Structures are given as C-alpha cells and as structure tokens.
C-alpha cells in the first residue's frame, strides 16, 4: 500500500497542464523613448487545452503629439504542457486616439511571448508602431 500511493500521486501530476490564463500587468519599455503601461487578460478557450484568448491594451503614449492607446486581441497557443516556453500569438490591434475612430494597425511584430512557466511574460518588439525602434515587454501575473 505504501508503494501504490506515491505512484498514484506521481501519475496524477503527469497529466497536469500549467496554465498561462490570468490577469497580467506590466510595461512596454522603449529605452530613451520611455515606458508605457500594458495590461493583458488571458482566458482559456472553452473545451481546449493550451489554447487561449487574450485581450489587452497599451496606454500612455503619443503618436504625432496625440495621446494614444492600443487595444489588442490575441489567439494564444501554448506548445508545451508546462515549463518555460515561447507562446505563439496571432494578434490584431487597433489604435485609439481622441476624436478619431479606432484604426486597425499592423502588429505583425508581436507574434510571440516568452513565458517562464509561472508568473512572468516577456517579449522584445522592434519597430513598435513604426515609431519606436526597440521595446521590451515585461508582464507579471
């Protein structure tokens, strides 16, 4: 009986999938061009394992002297069951500016996030919005 319990406990852990779902907050740091806030809400797609929807925003920056924000939606694939890994993203973005309709913007450069397998997401984005040459993203749950 003593041998069976540890084996059952170990076997129940092997089917466990670490989830990236949750509320994530942090920043987009563009070095000398400044840093802005970012929020990402990730939810598991119903009936799937390791597939998620993400909704978020980046705010607190200007483009052409106009206060701006980015609203984005993501389809997120988690390739591994657990542990540090790179998440695959399909992202659509809209630029929000005062006195203007939301405008679709290209966010092709935001196609992956590194996940530490626990509570940290990071990415490096080049040519962010065509305005910022290099930015680092760091989000914590």
């Amino acid at each position: 009986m003593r041998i069976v319990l540890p084996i059952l406990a170990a076997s129940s852990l092997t089917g466990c999938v670490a989830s990236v779902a949750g509320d994530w907050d942090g920043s987009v740091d563009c070095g000398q061009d400044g840093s802005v806030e970012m929020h990402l809400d990730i939810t598991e797609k119903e009936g799937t394992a390791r597939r998620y929807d993400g909704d978020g925003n980046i705010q607190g920056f200007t483009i052409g002297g106009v206060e701006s924000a980015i609203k984005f939606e993501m389809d997120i694939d988690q390739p591994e069951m657990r542990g540090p890994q790179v998440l695959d993203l399909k992202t659509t973005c809209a630029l929000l500016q005062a006195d203007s309709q939301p405008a679709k913007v290209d966010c092709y450069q935001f196609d992956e996030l590194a996940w530490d397998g626990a509570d940290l997401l990071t990415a490096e984005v080049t040519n962010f919005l065509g305005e910022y040459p290099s930015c680092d993203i760091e989000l914590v749950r």
Side-chain angles (χ1 to χ4, degrees), residues 77-99:
D77 289 322
Q78 176 184 335
E80 304 295 327
M81 288 181 63
R82 66 184 88 54
Q85 58 194 283
V86 176
L87 305 172
D88 297 317
L89 313 175
K90 290 185 181 121
T91 308
T92 57
C93 299
L95 176 64
L96 308 174
Q97 293 182 306
D99 300 328

Side-chain angles (χ1 to χ4, degrees), residues 17-20 44-45 48-52 76-82 85 87:
V17 175
S19 176
V20 72
E44 191 170 333
K45 289 186 180 190
T48 66
R50 303 182 349 227
R51 306 228 28 224
Y52 305 87
I76 303 168
D77 289 322
Q78 176 184 335
E80 304 295 327
M81 288 181 63
R82 66 184 88 54
Q85 58 194 283
L87 305 172

Side-chain angles (χ1 to χ4, degrees), residues 74-124:
M74 299 175 165
D75 286 322
I76 303 168
D77 289 322
Q78 176 184 335
E80 304 295 327
M81 288 181 63
R82 66 184 88 54
Q85 58 194 283
V86 176
L87 305 172
D88 297 317
L89 313 175
K90 290 185 181 121
T91 308
T92 57
C93 299
L95 176 64
L96 308 174
Q97 293 182 306
D99 300 328
S100 297
Q101 293 294 320
K104 185 176 179 179
V105 291
D106 191 1
C107 46
Y108 69 90
Q109 71 277 38
F110 195 38
D111 60 356
E112 61 184 29
L113 276 170
W115 180 39
D116 71 347
D119 295 320
L120 178 66
L121 293 170
T122 58
E124 184 178 321

Side-chain angles (χ1 to χ4, degrees), residues 8-91:
L8 286 174
S11 68
S12 67
L13 292 176
T14 60
C16 179
V17 175
S19 176
V20 72
D23 287 324
W24 298 83
D25 289 298
S27 65
V28 180
D29 182 359
C30 299
Q32 68 183 14
D33 292 317
S35 180
V36 294
E37 294 177 17
M38 181 174 174
H39 174 77
L40 175 59
D41 181 34
I42 300 176
T43 56
E44 191 170 333
K45 289 186 180 190
E46 192 171 322
T48 66
R50 303 182 349 227
R51 306 228 28 224
Y52 305 87
D53 289 318
D55 294 303
N57 61 65
I58 301 169
Q59 55 191 3
F61 61 96
T62 60
I63 295 180
V66 178
E67 192 67 30
S68 304
I70 297 286
K71 173 138 178 65
F72 55 90
E73 296 178 357
M74 299 175 165
D75 286 322
I76 303 168
D77 289 322
Q78 176 184 335
E80 304 295 327
M81 288 181 63
R82 66 184 88 54
Q85 58 194 283
V86 176
L87 305 172
D88 297 317
L89 313 175
K90 290 185 181 121
T91 308

